[in-house]
Amino acid sequence: MVATSNPQAALAGLDVLRSGGNAIDAAVAAAAMLAVVEPTQTGIGGDCFVMLRKRGQAPVALNGSGWAAKAASAEELRGRGMASIPVDSVHALTVPGAVRAWNRLVEDYGTRSLQELLEPAIGAAELGYLVTERLAHDWARQAAKMMATAEAKALFFPAGRAPALGERRSNPQLGKTLRAIAKSGADSFYEGWVAENIVTSLRKKGSLLSLDDFAEFKPEYVTPISASYRGYRLWECPPNGQGVVALQIAAMLEAFDLSAMGPLSAERFHLQAELSRIAYAQRNAFLCDPRFNAVDVNELLSDDTIERLTRGIDLDTKSDGWTPVALPEHKDTVYVSVADSDGTLVSFINSIYDDFGSGIVAPGTGVLMHNRGSGFVLEEGHPNELQGRKRPMHTIIPALVTKDADTVMSFGVTGGHFQPAGQLQVLSNIVDYGMSVQQAIDHARMFARGDVLELERTVPDAVWSGLRKRGHEPVAAPSPLGTCHAIWVDQGSGVYMGGSDGRRDGLAIGF
């Protein structure tokens, strides 16, 4: 089974499974297709994180997030009067980690060659693909950004307008780059002509990224972290990703009887809002690249910490404080969940950070660069302060859920900062309220951090008024809050049940 945000990508992954490939093969094929057919959300100019678990083995996590230029300096940017790194700054560009992460996964766990797995994406890039409804909507919103440079305009707005629903688009330059990667592996992206084109073009714009920054980058296997939730165990990648935030919310939420509250009630939304506000404030104070500053995950998830953080929760009143540091919105990501006949589940997430990433296209490559470096802060002494070869605090978090010795779910929620809060809403819908995986995904969502509480427009009026009585000032989310794609494994039968989000033209399909 494959669940993801675009039918063409889901089918690319499913075709790999039907031809005998495994879940790792299928996830890479689907992610590569998404890099072509959802250019507003993802691409080979971005980062990825992956979790997988083979039957009877320990979960595996791969950190495929890229680092800042070796020459990067927060002090230098502060000297220019910068208080943060804007998403449209050339200093927001870090080395893209996705391609080497895909290559590493296929070498270590796949059964097919990278060349074979990239062929469907190459075909879509060269021959074209049909624009879906949500993609057309997102594309049109970025006209000013993408027509600001000649390279981006030529690729994405050649007629001076965004494509309409059902229109065919292609990216032959990206097809050429993918062919080079398929033939020679990831090194052609990080050390060959592709890297040279990217670095040359970026340095002309003032970037400090060098060929050495690209050539010396490698993805990293990391030890997964986890927390219990009502007899289940939620697994996440460790920092520099924000998976620990989801675990902290889960640990705090376990102290309350959520099933006694209505699934769509002011009581439930208030509680989850309070716990989210706490966890996000913790995140922005401590989360960073642990290669530079230690992140004590055990302390953040300890019984003493959880008891202290939940001690003052009032089920009838909003608490004071818990305002996180302001950070740019992280909007755009794709997620892929795959399960194969051997019981291997893969949770795979890939992102270019913002709508169309940085909007910067490296000439001749078709590669749209992400701007993940906006996740750094410039505050002196902050754990997440920009430094050379450091990875920024990252929002994209793939997840697995186990029960006893079995993997029961591979899932992910997109939407940048929203992801930890979104994951716990989906998981709680299933565990606390007995929803099917699709019902859990379709359920109305909320997002709270600091003094902002966003509600999707399908939330009933009674919930809005109940939250106001508790001291919140809810506002309507400007668009649906994230998306979710998941595969749930029935422990008794072993049958896979997929769920995919209509908020992004999603599809879960198996055989």
Side-chain angles (χ1 to χ4, degrees):
M1 178 168 280
V2 181
T4 192
S5 56
N6 180 282
Q8 193 169 351
L11 287 168
L14 193 70
D15 285 343
V16 170
L17 295 176
R18 286 190 291 206
S19 66
N22 67 17
I24 292 88
D25 299 323
V28 171
M33 180 63 80
L34 287 164
V36 176
V37 303
E38 289 213 344
T40 61
Q41 308 296 303
T42 187
I44 62 174
D47 286 344
C48 81
F49 286 77
V50 182
M51 290 200 69
L52 65 95
R53 187 175 188 235
K54 293 188 172 185
R55 181 179 285 136
Q57 298 184 18
V60 174
L62 181 67
N63 182 329
S65 63
W67 55 28
K70 188 175 184 178
S73 165
E75 182 179 7
E76 194 270 336
L77 295 184
R78 288 194 296 268
R80 298 186 189 186
M82 295 173 64
S84 62
I85 303 175
V87 293
D88 60 354
S89 167
V90 71
H91 300 292
L93 276 64
T94 53
V95 172
V99 174
R100 271 213 167 121
W102 298 359
N103 203 138
R104 185 70 181 271
L105 281 171
V106 172
E107 287 181 346
D108 293 347
Y109 293 98
T111 66
R112 303 297 171 87
S113 69
L114 188 62
Q115 182 172 9
E116 181 179 348
L117 299 176
L118 295 186
E119 278 301 324
I122 293 169
E126 293 178 344
L127 302 177
Y129 57 92
L130 299 181
V131 174
T132 60
E133 184 174 12
R134 179 63 187 270
L135 178 59
H137 169 77
D138 291 344
W139 203 311
R141 293 188 304 162
Q142 300 302 319
K145 175 180 184 177
M146 299 306 289
M147 289 197 287
T149 64
E151 297 88 359
K153 181 179 183 299
L155 278 180
F156 297 104
F157 284 82
R161 61 168 180 82
L165 167 65
E167 192 170 329
R168 181 172 292 276
R169 281 299 173 96
S170 63
N171 188 339
Q173 292 181 13
L174 180 59
K176 178 184 175 183
T177 298
L178 288 170
R179 282 198 180 279
I181 296 167
K183 179 180 179 181
S184 304
D187 286 352
S188 64
F189 183 89
Y190 293 91
E191 301 176 42
W193 66 269
V194 180
E196 292 173 0
N197 280 24
I198 292 173
V199 170
T200 298
S201 64
L202 294 184
R203 290 186 74 87
K204 287 179 180 178
K205 298 177 184 295
S207 171
L208 298 174
L209 286 169
S210 69
L211 288 172
D212 286 344
D213 290 325
F214 273 70
E216 295 170 12
F217 167 76
K218 290 180 174 60
E220 177 187 8
Y221 284 111
V222 289
T223 303
I225 56 178
S226 67
S228 65
Y229 189 71
R230 309 199 203 282
Y232 294 86
R233 183 156 287 274
L234 175 63
W235 294 86
E236 303 278 357
C237 295
N240 56 312
Q242 63 174 344
V244 66
V245 181
L247 299 181
Q248 196 171 61
I249 296 173
M252 290 190 290
L253 198 59
E254 198 171 31
F256 298 87
D257 183 8
L258 210 63
S259 63
M261 307 173 187
L264 196 54
S265 65
E267 292 84 358
R268 181 200 181 184
F269 275 31
H270 165 70
L271 175 60
Q272 292 198 319
E274 290 294 275
L275 301 185
S276 294
R277 294 174 64 225
I278 292 170
Y280 281 97
Q282 296 281 298
R283 179 198 73 169
N284 287 7
F286 301 115
L287 197 61
C288 64
D289 186 342
R291 297 175 306 133
F292 286 75
N293 300 88
V295 181
D296 194 340
V297 171
N298 291 331
E299 176 61 25
L300 290 173
L301 299 178
S302 71
D303 291 343
D304 287 347
T305 297
I306 298 305
E307 193 279 329
R308 175 176 57 81
L309 293 175
T310 57
R311 189 183 303 151
I313 295 292
D314 186 330
L315 296 180
D316 296 315
T317 306
K318 176 191 171 191
S319 59
D320 294 327
W322 303 119
T323 301
V325 176
L327 288 171
E329 292 300 321
H330 303 203
K331 301 175 183 176
D332 296 301
T333 302
V334 293
Y335 174 78
V336 183
S337 181
V338 184
D340 66 25
S341 59
D342 292 327
T344 298
L345 271 75
V346 177
S347 188
F348 192 116
I349 198 160
N350 216 99
S351 174
I352 53 171
Y353 181 92
D354 200 10
D355 273 323
F356 279 119
S358 64
I360 297 173
V361 177
T365 68
V367 177
L368 185 62
M369 298 295 293
H370 68 171
N371 45 2
R372 184 59 65 173
S374 289
F376 285 118
V377 299
L378 297 182
E379 176 188 342
E380 186 174 3
H382 191 284
N384 188 37
E385 180 185 10
L386 170 67
Q387 292 177 253
R389 294 283 174 92
K390 190 175 186 177
R391 300 171 300 194
M393 187 278 288
H394 231 289
T395 56
I396 60 176
I397 51 171
L400 293 173
V401 178
T402 59
K403 186 174 178 62
D404 302 323
D406 298 321
T407 310
V408 297
M409 185 161 66
S410 165
F411 79 121
V413 172
T414 69
H417 297 295
F418 172 70
Q419 292 182 40
Q423 282 190 7
L424 262 296
Q425 289 174 62
V426 172
L427 181 60
S428 172
N429 287 341
I430 295 171
V431 174
D432 293 306
Y433 298 108
M435 297 183 194
S436 71
V437 65
Q438 189 62 55
Q439 288 172 326
I441 289 171
D442 292 341
H443 199 262
R445 300 174 188 159
M446 52 76 65
F447 182 31
R449 54 192 170 114
D451 291 326
V452 177
L453 173 56
E454 293 181 311
L455 303 179
E456 291 190 328
R457 297 173 189 273
T458 53
V459 174
D461 291 343
V463 176
W464 288 75
S465 60
L467 290 169
R468 292 189 185 101
K469 289 178 182 178
R470 289 168 171 80
H472 299 281
E473 297 180 6
V475 297
S479 60
L481 290 168
T483 66
C484 179
H485 311 283
I487 296 173
W488 180 271
V489 185
D490 180 78
Q491 285 184 281
S493 65
V495 170
Y496 298 146
M497 294 172 283
S500 199
D501 207 322
R503 293 166 174 86
R504 271 216 76 83
D505 305 315
L507 179 68
I509 184 168
F511 73 102

